[in-house]
Amino acid sequence: MPEPLFELIDVVKKYDGRTVLRVKNLKLDENKVYAILGPNGAGKSTLLRLLNMLEEPTSGRIIFQGVDINRAGESARLRMRRQMCMVLQNTYLFNTSVYQNVAYGLQLRGVRGAELERKVKEALSFVGLSDFGSRRALKLSGGETQRVALARAVAVRPQVLLLDEPTASLDPDSVALIEKLVRRIHESTGVTVLIITHNLFQAQRLADEAILLYNGEVIEKAPVAQFFTNPQSDITRRFISGTMIY
Amino acid sequence: MNADLLSSVWQFFCLRGGELSGIVGLSLMVSGSAVIIGAVLGIPLGAFLGLKRFPGRELLLRVIYTLMSLPPVLAGLLVYLLFARTGPLGFLDILFTPPVMVVAQVLLATPIITALSSAAIAAKEKLAMDTARTLGASERQAAWMVIKEARTGILAGIMTGFGRAFGEVGAVMLVGGNVRYQTRVLTTSIVLETRQGNYEFAIALGLILLLLSFVVSSVLLKIDDSKLR
Ligand SMILES: Nc1ncnc2c1ncn2[C@@H]1O[C@H](COP(=O)(O)OP(=O)(O)OP(=O)(O)O)[C@@H](O)[C@H]1O
Ligand SMILES: [Mg+2]
């Protein structure tokens, strides 16, 4: 059994004394696609933000590749963070060109010159926005914005891709495109993907495993086939049948 | 009336062109230096206030916002007392010279630059900072990205600070003394010409002041558009 990519042990996150996440034990393996499900306020974004070190847990340990990320030194943390990329729930593009947005993560990792240009172009063509390099990022449509956000995250070839509702408020074609891109990047690089979604069909289409969060706790984690056809928990059953009252 | 005005303005330029260019140069020099110093002090302080949360931050911000409406003549008085012969810095003996005028205008420009920078940075802090981090930025790199993202607001602060310094009369009058060929600037000249009944000259000077402000803000806006991409 290889060691998990992530392991969360007794992780608790409180805001102003209110517990919003309490994960006893959660293991995430390499090369998999996980769908994170759960009602609004369940703690899904908080979980991803903890993994990306945007927040610190109130207590407990988060282990990434065998290293406790919250006890590691500043430079070790930065090195680990640079193996991941996250697309935030509120996508924010920098107020520059599309090209500069995609180049940023690469530049942070020391990529320069011709290699930089090649990788930016590759990422833009990957999301079908080859001609968009010189466009102002803030003038793009919602769907284009999401594609740039994805391009900028995958451009650095991360080991972990954290996607917080990347297809919320997109039209069906754009949703299909983003899903296709996520699947393709996963297949070609083996990147581990954690994708938060409210779209249960999307979870079934994309993920190997589904994780249900409810009131800050992991209720069920199972391969999607089992999760959707034979859930072990009552809460999961109610959640997927849509009768759960939020 | 219009022709009259134009001809007197023309006369004014011909008669006192040399003196006028000195006045314009000094005005730009004094206010320009004040704004540069104000930016050097105000932008880092604004960035600190916009990015960090610490006890006393709210109070400090309120004090800075209050200082935005510091009356120029009061700023001038404070600087005057500081540099007067009997004041703590009197030994420098620089009262009624351009450097003291700069000091007085720094006092006026810095709070504006600080306050507008911190507001602009705080508005971008959460999302721009987090986005930079998600792409692999260190805390310092992320903070720099936030400052770059807030550049329009910071430049607005610099422009407002310049406007306040360039257009004020109370402070430079008090600490500069409006000495001909030495500390006379555009605004103090306007006061003088008005007092002497030379309204056309006063208006012409006012127009020059506005024109220069227009040029300066155009240059700054150009920077916003291109340089800091
Ligand atoms: N910075 C914060 N300060 C205080 N409370 C917070 C903060 N961030 C999140 N919370 C709270 O934590 C809880 C979980 O939030 P989180 O964003 O993780 O939910 P979510 O599952 O992503 O919900 P959604 O589906 O609406 O995005 C919510 O009740 C939220 O109000
Ligand atoms: Mg969320």
Side-chain angles (χ1 to χ4, degrees):
Chain A
M1 192 70 199
E3 91 178 342
L5 185 66
F6 276 109
E7 181 166 10
L8 286 77
I9 303 165
D10 289 323
V11 169
V12 174
K13 179 65 186 175
K14 294 184 186 184
Y15 284 116
D16 314 314
R18 200 167 64 89
T19 302
V20 300
L21 196 70
R22 175 181 287 129
V23 178
K24 275 205 193 62
N25 191 283
L26 179 67
K27 290 191 181 114
L28 302 169
D29 293 323
E30 246 169 308
N31 302 339
K32 286 217 169 150
V33 178
Y34 294 95
I36 318 266
L37 308 171
N40 292 132
K44 304 179 298 297
S45 295
T46 303
L47 173 64
L48 255 57
R49 294 174 61 84
L50 284 168
L51 298 181
N52 200 210
M53 296 177 252
L54 299 178
E55 316 276 349
E56 296 301 302
T58 310
S59 64
R61 292 187 296 150
I62 300 174
I63 318 281
F64 176 67
Q65 295 179 330
V67 180
D68 186 333
I69 60 175
N70 307 112
R71 293 218 178 103
E74 208 45 50
S75 68
R77 281 166 59 85
L78 190 57
R79 227 176 307 118
M80 289 188 279
R81 179 185 273 165
R82 285 186 180 166
Q83 296 179 34
M84 324 175 192
C85 265
M86 178 161 171
V87 174
L88 292 169
Q89 183 161 10
N90 305 308
T91 308
Y92 178 87
L93 297 186
F94 301 121
N95 183 13
T96 62
S97 63
V98 168
Y99 182 97
Q100 280 302 322
N101 268 275
V102 179
Y104 184 65
L106 291 160
Q107 286 166 327
L108 290 174
R109 289 160 180 80
V111 182
R112 298 275 182 277
E115 193 194 356
L116 178 68
E117 194 163 323
R118 184 177 58 73
K119 289 190 165 172
V120 172
K121 288 198 168 141
E122 199 178 284
L124 282 175
S125 105
F126 173 72
V127 298
L129 296 176
S130 287
D131 299 335
F132 278 60
S134 59
R135 295 267 288 266
R136 304 281 313 180
L138 300 194
K139 302 240 163 92
L140 301 181
S141 76
E144 290 160 353
T145 298
Q146 282 311 91
R147 276 145 78 191
V148 172
L150 189 64
R152 141 179 111 167
V154 301
V156 305
R157 290 293 166 101
Q159 288 193 14
V160 187
L161 194 54
L162 306 165
L163 305 173
D164 197 342
E165 300 191 31
T167 61
S169 78
L170 296 189
D171 71 47
D173 283 347
S174 302
V175 172
L177 177 63
I178 297 272
E179 287 182 13
K180 189 178 85 184
L181 295 173
V182 170
R183 203 174 302 124
R184 204 190 297 160
I185 192 74
H186 171 69
E187 278 161 11
S188 64
T189 68
V191 59
T192 304
V193 180
L194 274 79
I195 180 170
I196 298 178
T197 179
H198 289 292
N199 181 335
L200 302 186
F201 299 108
Q202 179 169 73
Q204 281 171 286
R205 286 192 295 262
L206 279 180
D208 302 308
E209 290 194 24
I211 298 169
L212 177 67
L213 277 178
Y214 182 72
N215 278 341
E217 298 191 35
V218 175
I219 302 299
E220 183 152 357
K221 170 176 177 286
V224 278
Q226 182 190 326
F227 185 94
F228 287 102
T229 56
N230 186 21
Q232 303 301 298
S233 156
D234 241 21
I235 297 175
T236 313
R237 205 163 299 131
R238 273 185 293 149
F239 180 75
I240 58 181
S241 64
T243 57
M244 188 147 96
I245 295 158
Y246 298 162
Chain B
M1 162 71 207
N2 263 347
D4 270 7
L5 181 70
L6 278 180
S7 82
S8 356
V9 168
W10 182 246
Q11 220 181 350
F12 175 70
F13 276 121
C14 294
L15 279 176
R16 302 186 24 207
E19 183 182 357
L20 182 65
S21 62
I23 289 172
V24 167
L26 185 66
S27 296
L28 286 172
M29 197 68 157
V30 168
S31 300
S33 313
V35 163
I36 290 170
I37 297 171
V40 166
L41 299 172
I43 296 172
L45 182 58
F48 183 75
L49 289 168
L51 292 170
K52 301 274 188 238
R53 299 289 173 269
F54 54 90
R57 175 181 174 270
E58 286 295 317
L59 183 65
L60 192 53
L61 273 175
R62 239 174 293 155
V63 169
I64 291 168
Y65 278 115
T66 308
L67 289 178
M68 281 170 67
S69 46
L70 179 69
V73 48
L74 181 55
L77 179 60
L78 293 175
V79 175
Y80 184 95
L81 294 175
L82 202 60
F83 287 94
R85 210 161 281 281
T86 51
L89 296 176
F91 65 91
L92 292 172
D93 199 20
I94 52 171
L95 199 59
F96 305 125
T97 65
V100 191
M101 296 157 75
V102 173
V103 173
Q105 293 200 340
V106 166
L107 224 53
L108 297 173
T110 309
I112 294 188
I113 298 176
T114 309
L116 295 194
S117 299
S118 89
I121 289 169
K124 297 279 178 182
E125 189 259 332
K126 193 76 190 113
L127 262 181
M129 189 96 181
D130 275 351
T131 302
R133 286 180 181 134
T134 61
L135 296 168
S138 65
E139 293 306 293
R140 183 191 293 251
Q141 289 164 330
W144 175 236
M145 181 49 103
V146 175
I147 293 171
K148 281 205 290 186
E149 286 296 291
R151 65 189 178 273
T152 305
I154 294 173
L155 271 169
I158 291 175
M159 279 192 277
T160 315
F162 179 78
R164 178 142 150 100
F166 201 52
E168 71 85 19
V169 60
V172 279
M173 185 72 99
L174 253 182
V175 304
N178 195 23
V179 183
R180 193 174 184 188
Y181 300 125
Q182 287 173 32
T183 60
R184 184 165 299 167
V185 291
L186 277 168
T187 52
T188 54
S189 305
I190 293 175
V191 173
L192 187 75
E193 298 298 341
T194 307
R195 281 210 189 114
Q196 294 180 346
N198 302 327
Y199 302 121
E200 299 91 339
F201 295 172
I203 288 174
L205 289 165
L207 290 176
I208 293 173
L209 191 147
L210 287 176
L211 187 72
L212 289 170
S213 282
F214 179 79
V215 171
V216 168
S217 42
S218 303
V219 169
L220 287 173
L221 285 173
K222 197 83 202 154
I223 294 178
D224 179 26
D225 222 34
S226 59
K227 289 288 177 337
L228 285 166
R229 286 244 166 122

